[in-house]
């Protein structure tokens, strides 16, 4: 890796990290480095300074906080996918984290880094959006909360302001009756998602009461498949699910790249949403 | 127990796995500087100005050069295979001087005290370009009003050969199949990127390079730079794979040598992966128009092949010859009355192509094996039945094919029968029928590839007839050390193949010494003074045999010495397990005792020198012809287009096996690489000639997680062209597997009216084929 020159500081406290970032607009937070370092190596980013936030206690770990699970920004994908709380209270997050790249990346890459980076092809943004997570951000000015629906602003752009650090995300516990599925479509095990569908479905008496569906890589930001969510409400399991999922690509603007053209992504969104909903509702 | 045939663990691995390696990038020289190249962002342009002055002022920068700065001495990168009389070999300056013809071509360079400073300084160099039109499509390139890559036009060469009465074969043929296949462009992705280190003591030069061909490189560097050959030493230290991509004389090798000469200092260059994707020579890239005429019962009457082969912007070491390595392979294992082959080499403004694992033979094998499946589909015959009706039967060997090669041996029936049994062919066909009946969204396809190939490049005379600029022999030498240990020097240049282990096994058997007592030296022209290096699955069939020959000579000498010391006639001695015994007596001398006696030289017979060593070269009279039957079962999700390999069986016949573990490794890696062409890999240029696949996020390589468990087995029909009966194995898997995979995909989709999917068969392409 031959990046341009930069300074490096390892922050010893959250407020120091905020100060460092506030005092230099070209400084960047360094978490697991799995997205930032490739940008540096390709000289697509020239930060003046990297502020290493790897050792801040406020950002670490996964915590059971009663009505929600708090996932620290610096929790690695590996930590998240193995966490007992995550697997019992918000298993969708674990299911998606387990699909990220390979063990090496999962041991360094972080939950917060994935979200702050706001890559629409990332797997976690769509999941947190589907689960209505609440982002906790901190800057020299203090702490604020950002609902998931407002966090993802544009391609590689989040609602975090310059100098703001993502501390972690509150994932509300959904309680009994919910099922989950993450359907990832990609060409090789280590390749990024072409289209991903995160589904949470609450079922009772053989019908779907409520569904939440997040789509990855169907636009510059992750999106909710609202039309399908509405259509599924109260729907019995069976063949009609497929029909309801035909609207999965409504209000999306899928990208065109080497791996897929938009019309193919739209088609995939419909097929995969059906599979994800079936998976989440335990229907064969 | 003999060593040959034993699954010995590789001697190389403990060192490699524990990181005690000598990759070129690990090597240091005192005062060493670092070179980096500025590369053209334009596919085609005139260079109107290069200004390196701003770079020169930056900290740590020792020198910065444009192509003009080396114009007088950098020469032209060599093409050693002028395939035809009409071939056009354009000037190819290592660093562009006036015009660039592909994105990635070097236009300037920086020499600095470390790589970081060198990379910073590259950004300070200013280059002005006057854009010229890119030439990207081969068919368009050949039209009269196409922009030109080179003054002389876009045709590099053309050739045509016809055997038999091709018109008669096609006239009134009951069946004619006419198809066009595209062999996409591939990027060889060796684990170790290229790296070069050059040093000088003022008069002579040493160049370490991650190369497959230290010997050829030495000769070529002398020819290109004018530095006398005896003043150049080339070392290939540990080399982490090549797959043909390091069978090259590169701009970076020439320039590092010249920069070391100019500065009187050691300089090193190491490529980044993205730089490698741009500038490691690419592979494949052909458009194949194939026509096959057959009888109603499936017997082939004639085959016509017309190729367009993308040369890229220049002809590199053996660029134009690569498609022609397939010229005699399209007819494969099949009998026919007539054959026509034509090939046109085309210049485009892309990275030059050259050898990539299989080189010409995977392309040919793909073409014919896809056609055989199409023929079977047309006639509603089982694809294996069509092949049976056409292939050379085992009792017909040696067999001279329509294209003029003589296959010495083979048994296609045996390999196929074994593969069918391992695969459970009938059961899978039944499942396929069932899924079709049920309209299962996941369809099953079965792909067949009954391949052969010519390898072990080889007979010098044959290569001469093809205008190849090198011989096909290999050199080996064997010396007994005073304590009875054995040092072997091979002219082959391993870069992952395990020569040290395999050669030790051959020598241990031949001399009757322990496997552990043999060491093998290679890859340094100061040690291994003569060699033709490693490519074309030639190491064992040529280099291994040269070593065996050298052992024979050592034993001849030892026999004379033993006879002298034991006071008998050499003919009275029996040699077994490393011991010469006087027949019918207890008197004997071991080869170790004889080595020591030769060293002492106290009592040598007349005419025997004080050494127990020898040299040999071997030049076989024919290529070797591995073959085999590969079967692939593929599940294709018709809703998403995703194709997943369900099972894969490979039965290969590579003749006698020296080390089954190494063979297994070669087959596995080869199959993986062939599957990768079928499903994953493709170098993509955009409409302006920019390479889009510069990282591994875009150029997809499969990992173990993406591949099925391979079921492998062998049949053993010994080659008759060498005393060990061995055939090459380095390329077989790659050659065989690609058509097996695509045939399986097409087989799954035939009921949907699909009869082709362009490689790589991405889910999107399969989905579109179904739409
Ligand atoms: C080979 C490879 C394959 C991958 N495949 C996938 C995949 O399949 N799916 C997937 O989802 N991801 C994938 N990733 C990305 C991976 O998930 C990364 O971990 C993630 O994108 C970034 O997390 P990080 O901790 O490495 O962040 P970094 O690279 O350190 O940072 C990324 C960006 O976020 C900012 N940032 C990081 N943390 C914070 C914070 N707490 N507050 C504010 N800003 C912050 C940084 O300043 C930087 O701009 C892959 C990565 C690699 C290298």
């Amino acid at each position: 890796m031959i990046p341009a020159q930069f300074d490096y500081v390892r922050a010893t406290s959250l407020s120091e990290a905020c100060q460092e970032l506030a005092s230099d607009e070209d400084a960047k937070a360094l978490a697991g480095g799995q997205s930032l370092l490739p940008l540096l190596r390709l000289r697509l980013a020239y930060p003046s300074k990297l502020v290493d936030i790897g050792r801040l206690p406020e950002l670490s770990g996964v915590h059971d906080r009663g009505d929600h699970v708090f996932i620290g920004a610096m929790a690695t994908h590996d930590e998240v996918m193995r966490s007992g709380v995550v697997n019992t209270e918000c298993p969708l997050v674990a299911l998606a984290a387990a699909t990220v790249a390979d063990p090496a990346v999962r041991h360094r890459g972080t939950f917060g880094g994935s979200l702050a980076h706001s890559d629409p092809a990332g797997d976690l943004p769509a999941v947190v959006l589907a689960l209505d997570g609440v982002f906790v951000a901190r800057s020299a000015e203090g702490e604020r909360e950002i609902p998931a629906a407002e966090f993802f602003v544009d391609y590689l752009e989040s609602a975090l302001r310059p100098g703001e650090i993502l501390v972690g995300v509150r994932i509300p516990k959904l309680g009994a009756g919910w099922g989950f599925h993450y359907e990832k479509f990609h060409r090789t095990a280590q390749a990024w998602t072409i289209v991903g569908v995160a589904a949470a479905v609450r079922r009772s008496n053989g019908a779907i009461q409520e569904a939440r569906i997040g789509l990855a890589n169907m636009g510059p930001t992750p999106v909710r498949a609202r039309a399908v969510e509405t259509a599924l409400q109260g729907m019995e399991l069976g063949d009609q699910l497929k029909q309801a999922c035909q609207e999965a690509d409504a209000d999306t603007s899928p990208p065109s790249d080497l791996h897929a053209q938009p019309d193919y992504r739209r088609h995939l969104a419909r097929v995969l949403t059906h599979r994800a909903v079936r998976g989440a509702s335990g229907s064969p | 127990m003999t060593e040959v045939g034993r699954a010995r663990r590789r001697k190389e691995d403990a060192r490699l796995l524990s990181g005690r390696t000598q990759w070129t990038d690990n090597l240091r020289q005192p005062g060493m500087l670092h070179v980096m190249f500025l590369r053209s962002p334009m596919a085609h342009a005139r260079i109107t100005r290069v200004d390196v002055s701003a770079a020169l002022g930056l900290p740590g920068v020792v020198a910065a050069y444009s192509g003009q700065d080396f114009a007088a001495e950098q020469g032209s990168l060599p093409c050693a295979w002028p395939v035809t009389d009409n071939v056009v070999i354009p000037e190819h300056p290592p660093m562009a001087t006036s015009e660039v013809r592909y994105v990635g071509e070097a236009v300037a360079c920086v020499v600095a005290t470390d790589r970081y400073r060198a990379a910073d300084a590259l950004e300070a160099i200013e280059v002005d370009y006057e854009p010229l039109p890119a030439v990207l499509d081969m068919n368009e390139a050949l039209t009269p009003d196409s922009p030109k890559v080179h003054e002389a036009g876009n045709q590099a060469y053309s050739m045509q050969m016809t055997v038999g009465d091709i018109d008669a074969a096609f006239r009134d043929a009951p069946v004619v199949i006419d198809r066009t296949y595209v062999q996409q462009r591939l990027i060889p992705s060796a684990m170790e990127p290229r790296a070069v280190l050059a040093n000088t003591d003022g008069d002579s030069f040493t160049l370490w390079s991650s190369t497959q061909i230290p010997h050829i490189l030495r000769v070529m560097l002398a020819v290109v730079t004018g530095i006398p050959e005896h003043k150049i030493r080339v070392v290939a230290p540990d080399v982490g794979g090549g797959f043909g991509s390091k069978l090259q004389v590169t701009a970076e090798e020439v320039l590092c040598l010249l920069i070391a000469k100019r500065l009187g200092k050691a300089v090193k260059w190491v490529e980044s992966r993205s730089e490698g994707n741009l500038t490691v020579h690419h592979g494949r890239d052909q458009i194949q128009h194939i026509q096959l005429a057959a009888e109603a019962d499936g017997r082939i009457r004639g085959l016509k092949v017309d190729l367009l082969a993308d040369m890229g912007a220049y002809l590199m070491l053996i660029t134009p010859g690569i498609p022609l390595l397939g010229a005699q392979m399209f007819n494969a294992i099949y009998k026919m009355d007539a054959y026509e082959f034509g090939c046109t080499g085309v210049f485009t403004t892309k990275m030059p192509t050259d050898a990539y694992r299989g080189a010409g033979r995977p392309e040919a094998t793909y073409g014919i094996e896809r056609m055989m499946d199409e023929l079977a589909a047309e006639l509603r015959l089982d694809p294996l039945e069509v092949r049976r009706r056409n292939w050379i039967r085992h009792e017909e060997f040696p067999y001279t094919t329509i294209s003029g090669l003589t296959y010495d041996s083979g048994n296609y029936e045996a390999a196929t029968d074994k593969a069918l049994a391992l695969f459970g062919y009938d059961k899978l066909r039944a499942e396929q029928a069932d899924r079709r009946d049920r309209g299962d969204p996941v369809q099953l396809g079965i792909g067949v590839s009954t391949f052969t190939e010519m390898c072990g490049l080889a007979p010098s005379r044959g290569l001469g007839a093809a205008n190849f600029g090198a011989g096909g022999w290999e050199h080996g030498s064997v010396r007994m050390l005073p304590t009875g240990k054995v040092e072997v020097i091979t002219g082959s240049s391993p870069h992952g193949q395990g020569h040290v282990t395999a050669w030790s096994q051959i020598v241990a058997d031949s001399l009757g010494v322990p496997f552990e007592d043999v060491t093998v030296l290679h890859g340094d022209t100061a040690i291994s003074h003569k060699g033709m290096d490693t490519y074309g699955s030639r190491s064992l069939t040529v280099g291994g045999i040269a070593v065996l020959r050298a052992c024979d000579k050592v034993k001849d000498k030892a026999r004379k010495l033993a006879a002298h010391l034991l006071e008998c006639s050499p003919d009275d001695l029996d040699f077994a397990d490393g011991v010469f015994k006087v027949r019918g007596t207890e008197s004997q001398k071991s080869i170790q005792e004889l080595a020591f006696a030769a060293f002492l030289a106290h009592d040598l017979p007349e005419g025997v020198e004080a050494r127990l060593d020898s040299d040999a070269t071997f030049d076989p009279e024919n290529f070797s012809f591995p073959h085999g039957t590969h079967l692939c079962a593929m599940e294709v999700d018709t809703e998403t287009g995703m194709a997943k390999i369900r099972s894969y069986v490979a039965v290969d016949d590579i003749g006698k096996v020296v080390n089954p573990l190494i063979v297994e490794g070669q087959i596995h890696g080869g199959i993986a690489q062939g599957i990768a062409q079928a499903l994953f890999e493709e170098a993509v240029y955009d409409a302006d000639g920019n390479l889009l696949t510069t990282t591994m996020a875009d150029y997809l390589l499969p990992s173990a997680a993406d591949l099925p468990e391979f079921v492998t087995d062998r049949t053993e029909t010994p080659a008759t062209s060498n005393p060990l009966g061995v055939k090459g194995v380095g390329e077989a898997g790659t050659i065989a597997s690609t058509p097996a995979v695509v045939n399986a995909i097409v087989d799954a989709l035939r009921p949907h009216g699909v009869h082709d999917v362009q490689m790589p068969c991405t889910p999107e392409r399969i989905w579109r084929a179904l739409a």
Side-chain angles (χ1 to χ4, degrees), chain A residues 187-188, chain B residues 675-682 700-702 706-707 760-761:
Chain A
R187 284 175 59 199
T188 62
Chain B
I675 291 174
Q677 175 173 11
L679 297 180
F680 303 115
E681 296 186 35
E682 180 172 31
L700 291 192
L701 295 178
D706 303 301
L707 298 165
C761 303

Side-chain angles (χ1 to χ4, degrees), chain A residues 215-241:
Chain A
L215 304 177
N217 220 5
M218 284 297 289
T221 64
V223 285
R224 289 281 284 267
R226 296 279 183 198
V228 179
E229 291 180 2
T230 311
L232 287 175
Q233 234 162 44
M235 188 172 274
E236 311 250 315
L237 301 181
D239 290 345
Q240 62 277 18
L241 285 188

